[in-house]
């Protein structure tokens, strides 16, 4: 039995069967002589062969070839190239089944990817609404309480206004971070690569956090032996954002009277920058997730009290470092501290 019969095989088989049946009928039922039977056999088989062959070839086979060609060109979108390279000598039914299976598989992968993107969008939208809800509801609550009479109560009116103002600050931080992350994720981000000294940029950021650090008694240090210029090639404005987030977190999650220190190491063409703290640390099970958007180790604490960040800081940091084609890592020990380390391209002095 032929595995992939072509029109010629099918026509040959069907016409032979037909000729045998007709010949047998003539010989056995109509009692015709042998010469007549041979002539009828030859004529029947010859004529029916051409009839079947052309019917299959022109009306069925060519149309299938056309469908196959269309599927193939739709799949690749390179119509002209497909027409030129089309393997007309191959068995089109077999080839078409192969193409259809491949096509269906590709479409399935595409659909799965689109579903993932849709799920991601839904989750992101849910997270954003949830994050916006907390400060908006609290502002709404304070303002309505003031309007309902608390405004005349000298004891609470200022307190409520301060709380409402704090929530508007949170709202504005959140919107700023959301804008930043959407810029970074849109892929249209333009990097302004410049040569600058990362040590003096760290000192700049330390100055910005001086008051906050004093409040917690945290010393902001540059590690011994590292207090000298280290020139890097990077987007200074965005690397400042990275340092603001990492140093800000080291204070937010740092213990009273602790230390935040920065260190720099030359590693071939790159410089490794480390920001370490002596804070509460992060448990190993949470470490792989801290760069995700809105991920917080202690969800209730950070969202509702004064330390409340947006949960987007480290996601922004990771995006910025990856936009520089560099990497960021974290290591941490509970109750001992956390160290974030990232690389930047070194610049010749
Ligand atoms: P947040 O705005 O909540 O600080 P981040 O994206 O900056 O968001 O950080 C994500 C989570 O990682 C934080 O909620 C915190 O639980 C944890 N984290 C980040 N930096 C530190 C750190 N230096 N020490 C301990 N935990 C940290």
């Amino acid at each position: 039995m032929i595995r992939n019969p072509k029109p010629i095989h099918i026509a040959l088989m069907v016409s032979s069967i037909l000729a045998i049946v007709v010949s047998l009928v003539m010989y056995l039922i109509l009692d015709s002589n042998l010469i007549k039977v041979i002539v009828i056999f030859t004529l029947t088989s010859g004529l029916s062969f051409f009839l079947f062959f052309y019917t299959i070839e022109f009306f069925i086979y060519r149309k299938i070839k056309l469908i196959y060609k269309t599927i193939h060109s739709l799949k690749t979108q390179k119509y002209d190239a497909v027409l030129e390279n089309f393997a007309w000598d191959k068995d089109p039914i077999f080839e078409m089944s192969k193409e259809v299976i491949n096509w269906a598989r590709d479409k399935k992968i595409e659909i799965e990817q689109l579903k993932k993107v849709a799920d991601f969008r839904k989750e992101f939208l849910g997270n954003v609404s949830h994050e916006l809800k907390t400060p908006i509801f609290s502002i709404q609550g304070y303002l309505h309480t003031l309007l309902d009479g608390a405004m005349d109560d000298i004891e609470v009116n200022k307190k409520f206004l301060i709380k409402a103002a704090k929530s508007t600050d949170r709202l504005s931080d959140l919107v700023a971070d959301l804008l930043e992350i959407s810029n970074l994720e849109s892929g249209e981000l333009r990097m302004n690569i410049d040569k600058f000294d990362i040590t003096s940029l760290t000192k700049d950021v330390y100055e910005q956090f001086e008051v906050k650090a004093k409040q917690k008694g945290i010393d902001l240090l540059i590690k011994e032996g590292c207090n000298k210029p280290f020139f890097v090639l990077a987007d200074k404005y965005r690397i400042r954002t990275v340092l603001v987030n990492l140093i800000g977190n080291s204070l937010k999650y740092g213990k009273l009277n602790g230390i935040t220190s920065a260190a720099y190491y030359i590693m071939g063409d790159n410089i490794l920058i480390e920001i370490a703290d002596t804070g509460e640390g992060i448990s190993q099970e949470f470490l792989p997730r801290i760069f995700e958007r809105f991920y917080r180790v202690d969800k209730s604490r950070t969202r509702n009290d004064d330390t409340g960040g947006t949960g987007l800081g480290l996601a922004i940091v990771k995006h910025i470092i990856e936009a520089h084609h560099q990497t960021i890592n974290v290591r941490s020990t509970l109750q001992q501290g956390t160290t974030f380390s990232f690389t930047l391209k070194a610049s010749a002095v």
Side-chain angles (χ1 to χ4, degrees):
M1 193 73 182
I2 303 163
R3 251 186 95 207
N4 288 309
K6 292 196 167 187
I8 194 163
H9 301 129
I10 299 168
L12 211 63
M13 200 169 70
V14 178
S15 57
S16 308
I17 293 170
L18 191 72
I20 290 169
V21 171
V22 171
S23 308
L24 280 175
V25 168
M26 285 193 70
Y27 187 68
L28 298 174
I29 300 170
L30 302 176
D31 248 356
S32 301
N33 66 32
L34 210 60
I35 307 238
K36 260 189 187 172
V37 171
I38 291 170
V39 171
I40 287 299
F41 178 85
T42 318
L43 280 176
T44 317
S45 57
L47 279 173
S48 59
F49 170 78
F50 283 110
L51 203 69
F52 283 127
F53 178 70
Y54 282 105
T55 308
I56 296 169
E57 178 71 25
F58 284 99
F59 294 105
I60 302 171
Y61 220 58
R62 293 227 158 172
K63 282 187 181 154
I64 291 175
K65 268 186 178 179
L66 203 69
I67 298 168
Y68 164 45
K69 198 178 71 187
T70 313
I71 291 175
H72 200 86
S73 50
L74 271 173
K75 204 179 89 179
T76 55
Q77 301 287 313
K78 291 174 192 149
Y79 301 89
D80 295 340
V82 167
L83 285 175
E84 265 173 38
N85 302 326
F86 190 72
W88 290 101
D89 52 326
K90 284 192 184 164
D91 173 17
I93 295 179
F94 180 66
E95 290 298 313
M96 190 172 77
S97 335
K98 239 171 49 183
E99 287 291 327
V100 169
I101 289 166
N102 285 340
W103 195 42
R105 198 188 46 213
D106 291 350
K107 290 290 150 204
K108 201 174 159 215
I109 293 171
E110 229 173 84
I111 289 167
E112 273 164 11
Q113 276 168 347
L114 288 173
K115 269 190 191 157
K116 262 192 205 157
V117 173
D119 285 349
F120 167 76
R121 283 214 178 120
K122 263 190 244 159
E123 195 194 316
F124 189 66
L125 203 64
N127 279 330
V128 171
S129 324
H130 188 70
E131 295 296 328
L132 289 172
K133 200 177 72 185
T134 316
I136 288 175
F137 281 7
S138 99
I139 295 167
Q140 196 182 31
Y142 290 125
L143 292 183
H144 280 295
T145 318
L146 283 167
L147 286 173
D148 291 346
M151 205 155 58
D152 304 320
D153 185 340
I154 226 101
E155 299 264 301
V156 293
N157 59 7
K158 195 169 175 202
K159 205 166 93 188
F160 281 10
L161 278 175
I162 290 172
K163 289 202 172 187
K166 259 193 188 159
S167 293
T168 51
D169 291 346
R170 261 186 69 66
L171 206 55
S172 122
D173 285 352
L174 190 63
V175 172
D177 276 359
L178 281 170
L179 278 175
E180 178 79 5
I181 210 148
S182 92
N183 264 341
L184 288 162
E185 288 186 354
S186 68
E188 290 154 15
L189 186 76
R190 274 247 214 100
M191 289 279 157
N192 285 320
I193 304 295
D194 250 335
K195 173 185 157 184
F196 64 91
D197 170 22
I198 188 80
T199 315
S200 77
L201 185 67
T202 313
K203 285 180 184 169
D204 259 16
V205 178
Y206 274 173
E207 259 179 51
Q208 180 184 328
F209 282 109
E210 221 170 50
V211 177
K212 240 187 197 159
K214 255 201 190 118
Q215 283 168 356
K216 280 188 101 170
I218 294 177
D219 280 336
L220 300 173
L221 307 172
I222 305 276
K223 201 177 170 187
E224 243 184 68
C226 294
N227 203 350
K228 57 185 178 190
F230 285 88
F231 286 96
V232 292
L233 282 174
D235 185 319
K236 189 173 177 182
Y237 172 78
R238 299 211 178 264
I239 296 303
R240 190 187 171 89
T241 306
V242 168
L243 291 176
V244 165
N245 273 298
L246 296 182
I247 295 167
N249 278 354
S250 81
L251 298 177
K252 252 197 281 182
Y253 307 107
K255 282 190 194 142
L256 289 178
N257 307 318
I259 292 170
T260 291
S261 67
Y264 318 100
Y265 306 96
I266 297 169
M267 311 249 304
D269 290 343
N270 293 330
I271 295 202
L272 179 82
I273 298 127
E274 285 196 343
I275 305 292
D277 63 54
T278 53
E280 62 192 48
I282 305 163
S283 154
Q284 296 303 310
E285 61 177 303
F286 302 128
L287 273 185
R289 299 199 58 190
I290 59 166
F291 292 103
E292 289 174 19
R293 294 167 210 83
F294 299 114
Y295 189 81
R296 296 180 179 95
V297 173
D298 183 349
K299 290 176 179 54
S300 56
R301 206 198 99 180
T302 46
R303 194 180 297 130
N304 298 322
D305 70 10
D306 280 351
T307 52
T310 60
L312 290 170
L314 289 180
I316 291 172
V317 164
K318 191 163 191 267
H319 269 301
I320 293 176
I321 298 300
E322 283 175 355
H324 283 81
H325 307 292
Q326 300 288 344
T327 52
I328 178 155
N329 287 297
V330 58
R331 52 183 196 275
S332 188
T333 311
L334 266 183
Q335 300 311 323
Q336 285 190 26
T338 307
T339 303
F340 285 92
S341 50
F342 63 95
T343 50
L344 287 179
K345 199 159 177 43
S347 155
V349 189

